[in-house]
Amino acid sequence: MTRGRVARTLTYLSLVVASVVVLLPLLVVLLTSLKSEKEMANDSGALQLPDDLLNLDNYVTAFQDGRMLSAFGNTAFILLFSVTGTVIIGSMAAYAIDRYTFRFRKLVVALFLVATLVPGVTTQVATFQIVDSFGMFDSRWAPIALYMGTDIVSIYIFLQFVRSIPISLDESARLDGANAFTIYRKIILPLLKPAIATVVIVKGITVYNDFYIPFLYMPSEDLGVISTSLFRFKGPFGAHWETIAAGAILVIMPTLIVFLFLQRYIYNGFTRGATK
Amino acid sequence: MTDTTEKAARPEEAAPAARTARARVPRRLRLRRGLTPWLFLAAPLVLLITFTYAPVANMVAYSFTDWDGVSPELSYTGADNYVELFTRPELFEVFFVSGYYLAASVIQIVVALYFATVLSFNVRFRNFFKGILFFPYLINGVAIGFVFLYFFQDGGTLDSVLSLFGVHSDRAWLGTPVSANVSLAGVSVWRYMGLNFVLFLGAVQSIPGELYEAAELDGANRWHQFRYIIAPGIRPVLSLTVILSISGSLSAFEVPFIMTGGATGTETFVIQTVKLAFQFNKTGLASAAAVVLLLIILAVTWVQRRLVPDDKVDLV
């Protein structure tokens, strides 16, 4: 019995240690973001509490001088188009692949399958030339096109759901005179709601956090998304850790809020997304 | 018209019935019906080919040239880029950096497995711990980079914490190649462990509970349960995680790029490729590097598929 108790204690101990390891770096940054420039200069230790817990000056500086408003705007614009596009494209592909038997169907499926094996980072050198030749370089359309075009995971998620919708529904609609597009629009799409929620969440988080693509394809300063704008803090705010910390917290906050509200869906989404 | 058995049939099984029906459909309608799936597939396929297959094909072509990415002229140089890649030691060194990330991902998988096992049983505050362990995966990479730059600073958080335990190590954690790479690999464990954990947790929870009860009746302890029930039960996810970890280690980019920019021996393969292509305008050489990386990743995936066939788990 005592052995069981020791094991239990050790289990909880390991969980608490892991939580501290996760939370401590974030907490310290939160504390730093509330310290004044003077406090930082006086070399208050990293673990010391700030004098004024409600000092939000750094957030104002980060938000204004760091051009976070336009960054959030650009991110929202890209999010809206790429997530909507991914949903439409993914669900259409899944509908066609699952509901029709046509020539080269196997080939099409294989094309989507093999593409999952090609990691995006490796092909960027050549993708860049293609994006450039379309004249999309340094515009918000470059990331949008890339996010829409390379998302194979969402096609799989939709495929799984389309499979679970009974074909009899399509057939009875067809008897009522509906054409393929009406069936897709009026029957399949509404029944795909749970899958759409999953894709929107997974894709949304990925796009919100992505750094690589906006960094390569949108170098102009007024096209900064949140990750590239935050990255630029490195220059002007160089040693002003209190401002950088405030910027980081500003970027993390929306994720935290979304996470707290949608926890269950987020777990499901990632499990489904990764294991197909 | 259709009976209930046909309603449930999958399209593949229903195909013969459809074929006999097709014979009665007029030609024009048949043509339209053959065209319909392509209308739905047009946009996805165009995007797929433009942004995945065309780049791969171009990349292979560029890798045999000396193109700088801008000028209209480029000349065919045969395998020169590949020879350069494998003979210039400084270009090859980046592979050793991947070793750190590879070692880190072993630790990451073990830790994730441990927590997935622990949290799949009845533990107080289970959802709370689950949330904390997963959350880092959702945080923006740049924010993580800054958080840890601050964390590893001279006299920063890590040093302060260590001094609480009586270890006084005022040192620049990112100052020497070994400690910098270890620190960066540590950050990537911090960042990605949660994803592995959640994937494992999902797999563990899909194992029917009666199995544990039966095992307990047979006198199995926790280790036995893990060894004989959980481990085989999550094998598919585990093998997927292994490929993702290997390809992730080889293509590590964000954390080292944001934190050190590749300084002090922390340059990874992707940082080098991006620099070659976009700073030094060596598109040809960069393409060759990317082709090598792609081939390695494809080889790893192929080996993995060979070793662990993608079949159903033979548990029950």
Side-chain angles (χ1 to χ4, degrees):
Chain A
M1 221 45 319
T2 43
R3 236 191 101 192
R5 189 167 291 172
V6 171
R8 256 191 118 60
T9 318
L10 284 178
T11 308
Y12 281 107
L13 191 71
S14 66
L15 285 168
V16 170
V17 169
S19 308
V20 170
V21 170
V22 169
L23 293 181
L24 189 76
L26 297 172
L27 233 87
V28 170
V29 167
L30 180 65
L31 290 182
T32 306
S33 74
L34 298 170
K35 288 178 182 169
S36 67
E37 206 181 331
K38 213 155 146 210
E39 274 176 272
M40 290 298 287
N42 289 344
D43 200 26
S44 80
L47 297 175
Q48 233 155 41
L49 284 180
D51 292 341
D52 175 9
L53 274 173
L54 290 174
N55 167 32
L56 296 179
D57 293 351
N58 300 321
Y59 287 89
V60 177
T61 316
F63 198 76
Q64 285 174 348
D65 300 357
R67 312 175 97 192
M68 290 309 261
L69 189 63
S70 95
F72 276 109
N74 285 331
T75 304
F77 182 89
I78 292 172
L79 262 177
L80 180 74
F81 281 95
S82 54
V83 170
T84 316
T86 305
V87 167
I88 294 172
I89 283 167
S91 56
M92 285 201 313
Y95 172 71
I97 290 172
D98 187 68
R99 290 302 208 244
Y100 288 89
T101 40
F102 51 93
R103 222 202 275 199
F104 305 123
R105 182 171 165 276
K106 284 225 166 87
L107 177 74
V108 169
V109 174
L111 279 179
F112 282 114
L113 236 164
V114 172
T116 52
L117 302 178
V118 181
V121 286
T122 59
T123 51
Q124 243 28 264
V125 181
T127 308
F128 186 85
Q129 308 300 338
I130 290 181
V131 170
D132 197 27
S133 71
F134 289 147
M136 287 194 293
F137 174 67
D138 212 14
S139 86
R140 288 179 291 193
W141 298 108
I144 291 174
L146 288 170
Y147 292 139
M148 285 199 302
T150 50
D151 195 22
I152 287 102
V153 172
S154 71
I155 295 182
Y156 279 107
I157 296 177
F158 282 124
L159 205 52
Q160 269 183 334
F161 273 81
V162 173
R163 273 199 187 130
S164 67
I165 300 172
I167 296 185
S168 56
L169 283 179
D170 298 31
E171 281 167 354
S172 53
R174 185 157 284 140
L175 285 181
D176 288 343
N179 63 22
F181 186 73
T182 321
I183 293 173
Y184 162 77
R185 184 52 212 85
K186 293 265 167 72
I187 294 176
I188 304 290
L189 216 49
L191 286 172
L192 280 181
K193 262 183 203 146
I196 293 175
T198 303
V199 169
V200 167
I201 289 172
V202 174
K203 190 76 189 172
I205 289 170
T206 319
V207 170
Y208 180 84
N209 286 335
D210 189 38
F211 169 71
Y212 194 62
I213 287 178
F215 176 73
L216 280 186
Y217 294 94
M218 300 194 303
S220 329
E221 210 166 317
D222 30 298
L223 286 178
V225 293
I226 56 142
S227 37
T228 46
S229 297
L230 184 62
F231 186 65
R232 289 199 189 104
F233 275 41
K234 236 182 164 174
F237 302 117
H240 286 277
W241 275 106
E242 70 282 1
T243 316
I244 294 181
I249 297 290
L250 268 180
V251 166
I252 297 174
M253 255 338 152
T255 319
L256 180 64
I257 294 166
V258 169
F259 176 61
L260 290 179
F261 279 103
L262 300 175
Q263 265 195 63
R264 198 153 38 97
Y265 303 100
I266 291 178
Y267 293 134
N268 289 344
F270 278 97
T271 324
R272 214 173 273 145
T275 54
K276 301 190 247 152
Chain B
M1 186 187 141
T2 41
D3 62 350
T4 37
T5 46
E6 222 197 284
K7 273 181 191 169
R10 309 265 353 106
E12 288 87 355
E13 293 155 25
R19 204 165 295 146
T20 46
R22 194 180 290 169
R24 273 178 268 128
V25 180
R27 228 191 120 169
R28 245 187 58 218
L29 211 71
R30 217 190 309 160
L31 195 74
R32 215 175 71 190
R33 212 177 260 175
L35 214 64
T36 318
W38 295 107
L39 290 177
F40 282 97
L41 281 170
L45 276 178
V46 166
L47 285 167
L48 179 74
I49 288 165
T50 324
F51 294 112
T52 302
Y53 288 100
V56 172
N58 285 349
M59 191 172 80
V60 174
Y62 295 154
S63 76
F64 294 105
T65 67
D66 62 355
W67 196 34
D68 62 3
V70 212
S71 70
E73 60 208 69
L74 77 179
S75 51
Y76 176 76
T77 56
D80 280 6
N81 288 325
Y82 291 94
V83 173
E84 194 177 348
L85 210 57
F86 285 105
T87 49
R88 260 171 61 186
E90 75 272 20
L91 288 181
F92 203 71
E93 247 163 39
V94 291
F95 278 110
F96 299 113
V97 175
S98 304
Y100 288 96
Y101 293 91
L102 212 53
S105 53
V106 174
I107 297 172
Q108 183 180 316
I109 290 174
V110 171
V111 173
L113 260 179
Y114 168 76
F115 284 116
T117 311
V118 164
L119 287 175
S120 60
F121 293 106
N122 216 355
V123 171
R124 234 179 274 187
F125 310 118
R126 193 159 95 179
N127 285 331
F128 174 74
F129 286 125
K130 199 173 142 186
I132 287 184
L133 292 178
F134 181 61
F135 185 62
Y137 180 69
L138 301 178
I139 303 179
N140 189 286
V142 182
I144 291 180
F146 286 158
V147 165
F148 279 95
L149 265 181
Y150 191 61
F151 184 83
F152 285 124
Q153 257 194 338
D154 231 343
T157 319
L158 187 54
D159 287 335
S160 313
V161 172
L162 285 177
S163 70
L164 288 182
F165 292 99
V167 185
H168 291 282
S169 68
D170 256 2
R171 55 182 294 181
W173 291 96
L174 302 173
T176 64
V178 173
S179 88
N181 276 316
V182 170
S183 305
L184 293 179
V187 175
S188 92
V189 173
W190 186 91
R191 184 179 183 193
Y192 293 112
M193 196 280 285
L195 178 67
N196 294 350
F197 158 73
V198 162
L199 295 184
F200 292 154
L201 193 68
V204 172
Q205 282 175 344
S206 67
I207 297 171
E210 304 95 69
L211 283 180
Y212 301 115
E213 285 162 29
E216 238 155 77
L217 284 179
D218 289 344
N221 60 25
R222 275 288 149 81
W223 167 248
H224 289 140
Q225 290 182 5
F226 176 79
R227 173 71 188 76
Y228 296 106
I229 300 175
I230 297 178
I234 63 172
R235 214 178 60 174
V237 179
L238 197 60
S239 75
L240 178 83
T241 308
V242 171
I243 331 180
L244 289 180
S245 301
I246 296 174
S247 62
S249 308
L250 288 166
S251 46
F253 170 74
E254 268 192 25
V255 167
F257 184 79
I258 291 158
M259 289 181 63
T260 64
T264 46
T266 57
E267 191 164 273
T268 64
F269 203 93
V270 177
I271 296 182
Q272 176 179 273
T273 310
V274 167
K275 280 190 178 164
L276 282 177
F278 301 108
Q279 271 176 27
F280 305 122
N281 288 337
K282 294 198 165 189
T283 305
L285 187 59
S287 300
V291 170
V292 169
L293 179 59
L294 184 59
L295 287 178
I296 295 174
I297 290 174
L298 290 179
V300 168
T301 315
W302 183 77
V303 168
Q304 186 273 344
R305 287 270 151 91
R306 268 288 138 106
L307 290 178
V308 190
D310 213 7
D311 55 5
K312 283 274 163 269
V313 197
D314 41 10
L315 198 64
V316 188

